[in-house]
Amino acid sequence: MANNEKTAKFSLGDMELDLPILSPTAGPDVVDIRKLYSQGDVFTYDPGFTSTAACESAITFIDGDKGELLHRGYPIDQLADKSHYLEVCYLLIYGELPSSVQLKDFESLVTNHTMLHEQMIHFFRGFRRDVHPMAVMVGVVGAMSAFYHDSTDISDEHQREVASIRLIAKMPTIAAMAYKYTIGQPFVYPQNDLDYASNFLRMCFAVPAEDYVVNPILSRAMDRIFTLHADHEQNASTSTVRLASSSGANPFACIAAGIACLWGPAHGGANQACLEMLKEIGTPDRIPEFVARAKDKDDPFRLMGFGHRVYKNFDPRAKVMKQSADEVLELLGVENNPTLQVAKELERVALEDPYFAERKLYPNVDFYSGIILDAMGFPTSMFTPIFALARTVGWISQWKEMIADPTMKIGRPRQLYVGAPHRDYVNVENR
Ligand code: SDX
């Protein structure tokens, strides 16, 4: 914990406290209020955690004003351009870019853990065929603790390592199986001679009736989408994983909790909601109608894929995603994709509108990702499972960082109680 002897004076009535100021590597200073209740007998109040640092972390940093995202100090646009997902996984988990030997060993470890316990297939068969794949992801990942019980003791560093590799390796297999199950096609087993992204595409789109040849354009785009979704500081799903893990729950249950949180349309579910919105808009001439709805306080409609709690400038991931959308659709011969045209025009109109400009609302990671996934052949229901697949390494990295912290305590927020004061029970005959 960075500490530079600066303090913040807190006074309430005749009570005065000097609260330590903690200075970070980057970003705003932090007022350490850990002793505020014990010494000052007051709580702070911050629903939604707009001004609260819930933990100390060295993994990812976001500068919302500059629109900058760093993973262990490396900018996301450089990683998206020069690195690849499994190398980014290594970086997020271990803190440094791997040597060629370390990378080769890590990739081999992941590749050789991609198969799922055969008996887990029965879990899939218990769902209706029209199940949303996210429901399958939550259920099957949570059930992994029943099959991989030898990597659930979080006090054992080796078991934490094994659980981490198993989750990163098996998420594509589980997501692909969830997809295959919903379309009534047989499961496709992973193939060890394929890279991570190619393996996922093949498990999703190959059928026994013919050979499947991975399109390198699509596998590169898929890998880049994984990288762009890998981690993002203390977002809602990561905070869910941290809070669940703080009780000592096993990693599979905690990642399942993260998947459940990510599913919401305000979070990871926005990529599905955004593409559905763009398709509902349909043509650029209908954009004003939807922009007006987004600005109308009496209408719950919001522009999906727009706005962010932290970014008050362009989401750097959206910039890379937009460029990738142009490249992929052109290479696939669908560059005049009507949905992409609507997205670009909607972005232009919104960014010129004072309502969005005043609130610093810009496209976020979910605004363009769905267009690429749609062009790759994924149904919208698979967009958030792909986000969950990619974010697993972020959840795992943050989980490992927290569990390894000797000062880690169970998370237990307090509240501003506004309910009934103390009162005595009244028998029913007297009510
Ligand atoms: C992700 O946290 C992360 O890092 C998440 C994520 C990650 O990688 O983990 O980046 C992934 O979840 C990206 C966000 C995906 N969600 C969406 O695209 C859904 C649409 N966006 C909004 O729901 C909203 O912008 C949030 C949820 C993303 C952020 O909400 P905040 O920070 O609580 O902001 P707010 O609701 O207080 O909005 C501030 C103002 C409000 O207007 P006023 O009350 O000031 O008049 O901006 C308005 C809001 O009504 N506003 C929008 C809007 N987003 C905010 N108005 C119209 N359309 C929108 N999209």
Side-chain angles (χ1 to χ4, degrees):
M1 183 80 70
N3 194 333
N4 60 8
E5 307 310 317
K6 281 194 301 188
T7 60
K9 284 211 180 302
F10 176 85
S11 63
L12 186 60
D14 54 9
M15 180 261 288
E16 193 168 279
L17 289 178
D18 282 331
L19 299 174
I21 297 284
L22 308 177
S23 292
T25 311
D29 278 351
V30 169
V31 179
D32 183 346
I33 58 164
R34 283 175 288 184
K35 297 199 181 320
L36 181 62
Y37 178 54
S38 61
Q39 294 179 2
D41 199 29
V42 289
F43 296 146
T44 58
Y45 183 64
D46 186 16
F49 310 117
T50 52
S51 305
T52 296
C55 65
E56 175 180 308
S57 180
I59 297 170
T60 292
F61 174 71
I62 301 169
D63 184 322
D65 294 328
K66 286 201 291 190
E68 184 179 55
L69 167 58
L70 306 178
H71 288 320
R72 301 289 188 178
Y74 296 100
I76 188 64
D77 50 328
Q78 292 182 26
L79 293 172
D81 181 34
K82 297 178 166 52
S83 185
H84 63 278
Y85 181 68
L86 282 188
E87 183 175 74
V88 172
C89 287
Y90 186 100
L91 174 66
L92 288 170
I93 294 173
Y94 303 111
E96 297 295 337
L97 288 170
S99 67
S100 53
V101 171
Q102 288 168 328
L103 180 58
K104 191 167 177 299
D105 290 349
F106 182 74
E107 288 179 334
S108 169
L109 203 51
V110 171
T111 299
N112 287 287
H113 283 82
T114 47
M115 283 180 67
L116 203 57
H117 188 296
E118 190 67 9
Q119 203 168 313
M120 293 198 77
I121 286 180
H122 300 304
F123 273 105
F124 291 82
R125 304 227 185 281
F127 290 100
R128 286 172 39 146
R129 288 284 182 176
D130 60 354
V131 64
H132 192 293
M134 284 296 277
V136 178
M137 300 277 287
V138 171
V140 172
V141 172
M144 286 175 76
S145 54
F147 286 85
Y148 300 104
H149 204 69
D150 60 343
S151 58
T152 52
D153 178 357
I154 62 165
S155 65
D156 178 334
E157 187 178 356
H158 175 67
Q159 291 198 33
R160 296 204 297 266
E161 187 69 15
V162 171
S164 303
I165 297 298
R166 277 173 166 161
L167 279 159
I168 292 166
K170 296 179 196 310
M171 286 299 263
T173 310
I174 294 168
M177 290 171 75
Y179 172 53
K180 284 300 202 188
Y181 184 73
T182 60
I183 58 174
Q185 289 187 0
F187 298 140
V188 176
Y189 286 86
Q191 206 159 309
N192 289 355
D193 61 349
L194 294 176
D195 63 67
Y196 194 85
S198 301
N199 221 347
F200 176 64
L201 290 173
R202 183 178 171 279
M203 288 190 284
C204 287
F205 298 122
V207 290
E210 59 189 28
D211 289 341
Y212 177 80
V213 178
V214 177
N215 179 333
I217 298 161
L218 298 189
S219 62
R220 177 64 189 137
M222 189 80 265
D223 188 272
R224 184 179 290 159
I225 286 176
F226 290 160
T227 294
L228 293 172
H229 288 81
D231 189 47
H232 213 236
E233 279 192 9
Q234 306 312 316
N235 58 84
S237 54
T238 297
S239 300
T240 300
V241 171
R242 278 182 173 261
L243 193 56
S245 305
S246 72
S247 74
N250 75 73
F252 304 109
C254 297
I255 298 300
I259 296 170
C261 176
L262 186 75
W263 195 354
H267 190 13
N271 53 17
Q272 172 174 347
C274 180
L275 193 83
E276 288 164 355
M277 173 192 74
L278 293 172
K279 292 199 168 187
E280 185 188 356
I281 294 172
T283 53
D285 62 309
R286 292 195 64 205
I287 286 174
E289 169 198 338
F290 283 82
V291 168
R293 283 188 56 199
K295 293 157 62 174
D296 178 356
K297 290 303 169 197
D298 296 327
D299 189 328
F301 173 78
R302 287 193 164 181
L303 287 188
M304 302 316 284
F306 245 81
H308 198 276
R309 171 63 58 78
V310 177
Y311 289 121
K312 301 309 169 193
N313 195 326
F314 260 93
D315 180 334
R317 301 168 297 175
K319 284 184 178 175
V320 177
M321 204 74 83
K322 180 178 180 180
Q323 179 196 342
S324 188
D326 282 329
E327 289 167 9
V328 170
L329 296 184
E330 186 185 340
L331 290 166
L332 291 175
V334 286
E335 57 271 31
N336 55 0
N337 173 299
T339 311
L340 180 59
Q341 303 318 318
V342 168
K344 287 183 173 180
E345 179 60 9
L346 175 57
E347 175 186 335
R348 186 192 66 76
V349 169
L351 294 183
E352 287 177 1
D353 187 305
Y355 173 94
F356 295 91
E358 286 158 11
R359 291 166 179 80
K360 298 184 178 180
L361 303 176
Y362 291 85
N364 59 48
V365 67
D366 295 310
F367 192 67
Y368 285 101
S369 57
I371 293 165
I372 304 173
L373 296 172
D374 181 49
M376 293 170 86
F378 288 104
T380 55
S381 61
M382 276 301 290
F383 291 5
T384 311
I386 288 168
F387 193 153
L389 183 173
R391 183 53 57 88
T392 296
V393 67
W395 294 328
I396 285 290
S397 306
Q398 304 267 351
W399 168 73
K400 286 173 70 104
E401 180 179 68
M402 186 186 85
I403 298 292
D405 178 351
T407 66
M408 192 272 284
K409 298 162 75 77
I410 188 169
R412 207 285 187 205
R414 303 304 300 273
Q415 64 180 6
L416 170 67
Y417 178 66
V418 294
H422 181 283
R423 51 184 172 169
D424 295 326
Y425 182 80
V426 179
N427 292 328
V428 64
E429 62 272 12
N430 299 327
R431 289 175 205 156

